[in-house]
Every structure is written in structure tokens, then in C-alpha cells.
Amino acid sequence: MNNMYNTNKITEQLITWYGKHKRDLPWRHSKDPYKIWLSEIMLQQTQVDTVIPYYKKWLNKYPTLKDVAHASEGDLLKIWEGLGYYNRCRNFKKACDIVLSDYKGKVPTDFHAFIKMPGVGEYIAAAVLSIVHDKSYPALDGNIMRVLSRFMKKKTLSRYNKKVIYNHICKWMKFGSPGDINQALMDIGSQICKPNQAHCYKCPLENSCRATKTNLPESYPTPKQNKPIPNYDVVTGIIWDHDQFLILQRNEMNHLGGLWEFPGGKMKNGESQSEALIREIKEECGLEVNVKSKIGSIKHVYSHFSIHMTTFHCVSKNNTIIKTTQPYRWIKPVQIKDLPFPKANHKLFSILNKQGWHV
């Protein structure tokens, strides 16, 4: 029999390997669906080493799903601050509210009910239900898709090939713990079968892997060509009223929604920094300002674009009557620690802490 289809043997190899070599991760010490769900939400598009301290800090403050449901979105975003992709946090809060109100605080065990929760797609549902309840749902993340595309020698991850991969893992799950199989494949993908480097000699699937036999496993699947990301020049202003300054809260439907920031925005072609800042502040909050001293510039890269942000001290020309539909506050520097700000702003705070905050 072709080794690739000896499902019983392969499953045994995977489970044995996982038992010996699995990563010691904090969420793997629990079968609490809330904790597993939280870990999978945090791990979306974020590296494990980055997630671990956030996961521990979150559970220290919100040890149960009920605690999340009773917390304010602002407090949750503050804990999440710096982890990025803030919609994950807001959707998790909404989903916990639904679980508490509609499911008596019990995370749904039915796949189709679970994926209806905000922020829960097929991958999250499959990962949680397989790990917690050993339900046979392959959790097809990037790591697992790469491992199986090499194992089965699939050049493309077409819809058809993804279905073939899904069905193949389902066969393995008939002979072993679905949760362990998913996690074993995740670990192989992250530790051994990497995008640009496959350490085949370490892999329990080596003898059955068709891509290994080509001596070019890294060519499966065909790598995507990364497109260059745009860069935007941004100006922001710290508008002072005595010892307080103005901050605005971003619309929760937009990028970085729910976080606080200084007024400002993108520069237009032909504008000086001062001209752009005066225009943006007028448009955002109805204030006419004098632009004073430059504080500094920072660079920050997001997933789909980057910014070069320059910030200035500003004062209002006549009054501090705000005309905006956005929530706003006048705060003192000491209050920054209580509110969630984008990571780019924290780079600016570091400059201000060295220079001194006032004009």
C-alpha cells in the first residue's frame, strides 16, 4: 500500500510524535473552551511568542467568559493594546455576550452554531471543537495547509485541493484524537515544515511525504508573490488647553476602531505638513489651530500599509469648542495609561517622555 494512504500508521506516527515533541504552550494545559477559544483568536495572524504574555495578562484579569461579557469594550481594548487586529477583541467581546445571554455561558459545541458567533469562522470553530471535544474537524490554517500540500504534492491551494486536503485529514482523524492531530500538524508547520525551509529529517511524515521525495519540498505549494504595500505621510497634532490635550476615538467600524488618537490624517499632494495638519484638524473637530513646535516623526508598518507620522504641538486660535461626531476627551499625559492607543502612538509617547510633554 502507498505509504501516503496508510492512514492508521500515519495517524499513529503523528500522535506519537506530538506526545514527545509538542510545544509547551499555556493554553495546552487546559480544556476550557473559553481559554482555547481566546488563544485561537489571539493567534490569528500573530506569532505564538507575541501572544503568550497577552494571553496570560488577559486571563489574569478576565479568568472566565462571564468576566469578559461584563467588562467594557474600552477595558478589553486596553488589555489587547499592542496585539493588533483589534476587531478580534471587539468580536470576541460580542461573542462572549451572546454566549452568556443565549447559551447560559456555555460555549456552543455544535459547529454550525459556533461559527455564527462574531469573529468565529470555520478555522476557529474547528480548532476549538477538536481540541476541547475531540470532534473531527480539520483546522485548516496556513501551517496545516502547507504541510498537507507538501505531503500530497499539491502545487496550488485551489478550492478543490483544499477539499482534498480536508477529506484526507478527516481520514486520519478516524484513527486518533482530532485535537492532537490538528495540533501536531500545527506544530510541524510552525517548527519543521516552514515556508522557506523544510527540515524533513525531523518530520514524522517524512517517509510518506511526496514533496520530500522531489528534494524540493519548499516549492510546494507555489509561493505567492507579495505585493508592495503603500506608504502614507501622516500628520497629527497635540492640541493643548492649559495642561490637557485633545484625543479622538476611532470609529469601531474602521481600522483600529475603538482606539484613541491625536487629531490629524493623511497629507495631500502639494501640502506642507502645517497646511495638512491645519486642514485635518479643521475637518475632524472644527478647530482652527496654530501649529507650534515639531515633536518628532515615527514610522510604523501595518499589515497592508505603512505610515510616516509627524506630530506637532498645537494651540487653538480662538476657542476649544469641538465639532465632531467622534467621541472625544481632554486628558492629561498621566491618563494615557488608562486608555487604549495604537502602537504607533506609543512610539510617539516614548519621544514625548524624553522631551517633556508641554509646548
Side-chain angles (χ1 to χ4, degrees):
M1 180 183 289
N2 187 323
N3 282 344
M4 191 180 83
Y5 296 101
N6 192 346
T7 53
N8 191 5
K9 180 180 178 181
I10 290 172
T11 302
E12 182 181 342
Q13 290 170 338
L14 272 175
I15 299 297
T16 301
W17 178 89
Y18 181 66
K20 293 179 180 178
H21 301 288
K22 64 183 176 182
R23 289 175 291 176
D24 184 16
L25 303 174
W27 43 88
R28 288 183 174 172
H29 296 277
S30 173
K31 289 289 186 179
D32 182 343
Y34 160 68
K35 294 178 180 178
I36 303 301
W37 182 11
L38 171 65
S39 72
E40 292 296 342
I41 292 290
M42 287 186 164
L43 286 165
Q44 285 181 306
Q45 299 182 337
T46 308
Q47 294 182 348
V48 168
D49 289 344
T50 301
V51 166
I52 289 174
Y54 281 91
Y55 175 82
K56 291 179 177 179
K57 182 170 64 171
W58 180 287
L59 287 181
N60 186 53
K61 189 165 185 179
Y62 305 109
T64 69
L65 183 148
K66 186 176 180 180
D67 294 320
V68 175
H70 289 163
S72 71
E73 183 179 281
D75 287 343
L76 296 174
L77 286 171
K78 184 62 182 177
I79 289 284
W80 198 278
E81 185 181 49
L83 194 57
Y85 300 99
Y86 293 91
N87 273 337
R88 295 181 296 176
C89 179
R90 287 192 297 274
N91 283 331
F92 189 57
K93 159 67 173 169
K94 293 173 184 175
C96 288
D97 289 346
I98 293 171
V99 170
L100 188 62
S101 63
D102 297 357
Y103 294 88
K104 298 180 180 179
K106 303 292 184 182
V107 177
T109 59
D110 177 74
F111 183 87
H112 298 289
F114 195 20
I115 61 172
K116 292 179 181 178
M117 298 289 165
V120 177
E122 291 185 0
Y123 168 76
I124 295 286
V128 174
L129 295 181
S130 66
I131 293 169
V132 176
H133 301 292
D134 257 339
K135 295 200 172 189
S136 296
Y137 295 114
L140 299 185
D141 70 347
N143 282 326
I144 291 181
M145 293 298 293
R146 182 173 59 258
V147 172
L148 267 293
S149 70
R150 290 173 179 175
F151 181 82
M152 303 181 76
K153 198 180 173 184
K154 300 293 184 184
K155 268 290 188 182
T156 64
L157 291 176
S158 63
R159 181 179 297 181
Y160 173 79
N161 282 343
K162 288 180 180 179
K163 185 66 175 177
V164 170
I165 288 171
Y166 184 94
N167 290 336
H168 202 86
I169 298 175
C170 283
K171 292 177 182 177
W172 289 350
M173 288 180 170
K174 293 178 181 179
F175 296 93
S177 162
D180 285 353
I181 289 172
N182 274 332
Q183 291 178 103
L185 292 171
M186 291 175 192
D187 282 6
I188 291 170
S190 65
Q191 304 295 302
I192 296 173
C193 196
K194 299 179 181 181
N196 299 317
Q197 192 174 31
H199 301 287
C200 299
Y201 66 95
K202 295 182 179 180
C203 182
L205 302 176
E206 179 187 12
N207 292 333
S208 304
C209 179
R210 295 177 66 184
T212 298
K213 293 175 173 57
T214 69
N215 294 320
L216 293 170
E218 293 88 355
S219 65
Y220 296 88
T222 302
K224 291 183 179 179
Q225 296 297 320
N226 293 326
K227 296 180 180 179
I229 62 174
N231 178 76
Y232 301 110
D233 289 315
V234 173
V235 286
T236 58
I238 301 183
I239 305 170
W240 289 96
D241 180 23
H242 300 291
D243 61 345
Q244 295 185 316
F245 54 83
L246 178 67
I247 57 172
L248 306 176
Q249 189 175 37
R250 293 182 64 86
N251 187 305
E252 71 169 30
M253 301 303 293
N254 296 338
H255 179 243
L256 304 176
L259 275 62
W260 294 86
E261 64 181 2
F262 300 123
K266 298 176 186 175
M267 295 178 61
K268 293 182 178 179
N269 289 336
E271 284 185 318
S272 68
Q273 290 179 327
S274 294
E275 289 170 341
L277 185 55
I278 289 169
R279 174 185 55 77
E280 281 286 344
I281 290 175
K282 178 70 173 177
E283 291 174 357
E284 274 195 314
C285 51
L287 289 179
E288 294 186 3
V289 299
N290 287 320
V291 178
K292 298 294 186 179
S293 58
K294 176 180 174 179
I295 295 167
S297 299
I298 63 97
K299 293 182 179 180
H300 191 73
V301 180
Y302 294 99
S303 57
H304 302 300
F305 66 94
S306 63
I307 62 169
H308 180 265
M309 183 172 75
T310 304
T311 304
F312 296 83
H313 288 295
C314 301
V315 293
S316 176
K317 285 185 177 180
N318 41 31
N319 60 61
T320 54
I321 299 174
I322 308 301
K323 298 177 182 178
T324 180
T325 57
Q326 294 176 250
Y328 68 90
R329 293 187 187 184
W330 291 93
I331 68 168
K332 297 179 180 180
V334 70
Q335 293 175 272
I336 282 174
K337 68 181 188 303
D338 301 321
L339 298 168
F341 286 85
K343 204 167 187 177
N345 284 59
H346 281 276
K347 294 180 180 179
L348 177 65
F349 298 157
S350 296
I351 296 174
L352 283 161
N353 288 334
K354 293 177 182 177
Q355 290 182 357
W357 275 81
H358 294 282
V359 181

